[in-house]
Amino acid sequence: MSTSHITLPTTPESLLPLVIQAMSRTPDARLRELMASLTTHLHAFILETQVTEEEFECAVKFIIDIGQATGPKTNEVILAADLLGVSSLVAVLNNPAHHNNQHAQEEAVSHAALLGPFWRANAPICQAGDNIARGNTQGLPLEVCGVVYDKHGKPLPDAMVDVWHASPVGLYENQDDAQENMNLRGRFKTDAQGAYFFKTVRPAGYPVPTNGPCGDLLRAQLRHPNRPAHLHFMVSTPGHKVLITQVFADGDDNLTSDPVFGVTAPLVGQYEERMINGQRQAHLTHDFHLVDGEMTFPHPPIP
Ligand code: BEZ
Ligand code: FE
C-alpha cells in the first residue's frame, strides 16, 4: 500500500501541529487548553535551545530523581517548583493583592506567599496566648498578635490562624528527630474582635534542603540555599479564600535573595525587641486581610 498520502513530519517544526491534532479531542476543555499550551512552549523551548540527546536524558533523570527523593521528610518535586519561582508565580497570580488593579487599590488585601514543603494538616488546636514552642525548644521568646479582617476592613471573629515555622536552629519539626511532634505548629481561633495571639520563639533563617537533586541544581547555578527567617500562616474562614502567606523578619540578610522568591515588601514584619522583667523578648504585630471566595485547603506536601 502506498503511504504517499499520509502526512508524516519531515522537519522539527512540523511535529507540533501533529501533536496538537492528536490531543484535540480531549473532552475536558481546560485539560485540552493546558496541554496544548504546555506542548507548544516545550517544543519552542527545545527548538530555541537546540536540546541535545544527552541534555534530554539528563532532564529525564532529574525528573525521575526528584520523584524518587520525595518521601516522608521532604517533597523534592515542590522544592524544584519553588526554586524555579513557579510556586511563587502561582501564589502571586492567584491573589488579588498582587495585581495593580482597582480592586486591590480600593480594598486592603494581604499578599500571599508560597506554601513550601513543610505545612502539615491538623496542627494542635490552641487557646489564645498558648506557646507553640514545645518541649525544651530554646530561643528568644516571641509574641505574635494581630487581627483578621474581611475585604471591607470588618474584623472576622472565629477565623482560623494556622501557624508553623522552623526552630531557632533552622529545622522544621518533621525534619528533625530532636523536636517534639508538632513542635512550632498550632491553630488559633480569632476572638470576637477578630484578634489572634500566640507565643513562640523567634525563628531563624535556614537553608532549603540541599541533599537531593535540587541541591545539585543550586550548586550548578552558584545559588545560595538560605531563606530569610519567617513565620508561615494559613488563615481561613468559610466564605473566604484561604490565605497562605509568610511574614519575614526585617533586617534579615537574605530578604532580597530568597532562593524561592517568596518575599514581597508588605510581608516583611516589624519584629520589635524589648526588655521585659530583665528578659529580652521579641514582638510582632501582623494583620491579615482576606478576600471573598471558596475555603479550599491544599493537600499537605508531606504527610
Ligand atoms: C519553607 O518556607 O518552608 C520552604 C519553602 C520552599 C522550600 C523549602 C522550604
Ligand atoms: Fe519555611
Side-chain angles (χ1 to χ4, degrees):
M1 197 178 87
S2 161
T3 55
S4 60
H5 64 287
I6 302 175
T7 315
L8 292 171
T10 54
T11 65
E13 289 77 11
S14 59
L15 258 167
L16 178 64
L18 299 181
V19 182
I20 300 286
Q21 171 68 24
M23 301 188 303
S24 64
R25 289 171 48 247
T26 307
D28 183 323
R30 181 64 173 153
L31 178 63
R32 190 167 66 241
E33 180 192 5
L34 289 170
M35 289 309 296
S37 177
L38 177 64
T39 309
T40 302
H41 285 277
L42 271 176
H43 280 239
F45 155 72
I46 289 166
L47 291 172
E48 182 191 315
T49 58
Q50 296 285 292
V51 170
T52 66
E53 283 155 331
E54 291 73 24
E55 288 163 347
F56 178 60
E57 217 177 85
C58 185
V60 170
K61 182 174 181 317
F62 181 77
I63 292 172
I64 293 170
D65 288 349
I66 58 177
Q68 288 181 343
T70 296
K73 288 197 191 269
T74 186
N75 188 323
E76 198 83 2
V77 179
I78 291 201
L79 181 56
D82 296 345
L83 294 172
L84 297 180
V86 168
S87 306
S88 287
L89 177 58
V90 173
V92 162
L93 177 69
N94 286 280
N95 190 281
H98 299 267
H99 297 275
N100 195 14
N101 59 18
Q102 221 186 351
H103 174 86
Q105 281 160 18
E106 282 171 3
E107 296 156 0
V109 180
S110 290
H111 276 203
L114 70 168
L115 176 69
F118 297 119
W119 175 66
R120 290 179 69 189
N122 304 318
I125 299 280
C126 303
Q127 301 304 313
D130 278 358
N131 198 331
I132 59 170
R134 304 187 173 86
N136 65 349
T137 310
Q138 304 296 307
L140 180 68
L142 169 66
E143 289 191 351
V144 185
C145 65
V147 176
V148 179
Y149 295 101
D150 74 4
K151 65 175 185 180
H152 304 297
K154 194 164 89 43
L156 285 166
D158 248 0
M160 186 65 92
V161 177
D162 186 345
V163 58
W164 69 104
H165 68 90
S167 74
V169 301
L171 288 170
Y172 287 82
E173 130 304 312
N174 47 352
Q175 297 176 287
D176 180 9
D177 292 338
Q179 292 181 52
E180 259 187 35
N181 186 37
M182 291 288 180
N183 192 30
L184 303 172
R185 297 177 190 270
R187 287 183 293 166
F188 294 82
K189 276 269 167 107
T190 56
D191 67 13
Q193 283 74 44
Y196 73 91
F197 168 46
F198 65 89
K199 295 179 189 149
T200 184
V201 288
R202 192 173 168 143
Y206 60 85
V208 300
T210 55
N211 55 350
C214 288
D216 294 338
L217 180 63
L218 281 178
R219 283 182 286 277
Q221 296 174 326
L222 302 183
R223 292 167 64 185
H224 78 73
N226 302 316
R227 297 215 66 207
H230 56 273
L231 301 172
H232 290 263
F233 289 96
M234 184 181 294
V235 187
S236 60
T237 194
H240 295 79
K241 181 172 163 49
V242 175
L243 174 68
I244 298 171
T245 194
Q246 303 178 23
V247 181
F248 297 89
D250 49 337
D252 194 295
D253 286 344
N254 295 314
L255 283 175
T256 54
S257 64
D258 181 7
V260 298
F261 311 97
V263 184
T264 67
L267 296 182
V268 179
Q270 315 295 316
Y271 287 71
E272 287 168 19
E273 290 195 15
R274 306 176 193 143
M275 292 297 284
I276 296 180
N277 300 330
Q279 274 233 312
R280 221 153 57 89
Q281 188 173 303
H283 192 94
L284 171 71
T285 302
H286 196 87
D287 296 339
F288 298 105
H289 299 261
L290 307 188
V291 290
D292 293 349
E294 232 179 86
M295 188 176 68
T296 310
F297 294 97
H299 295 289
I302 56 183

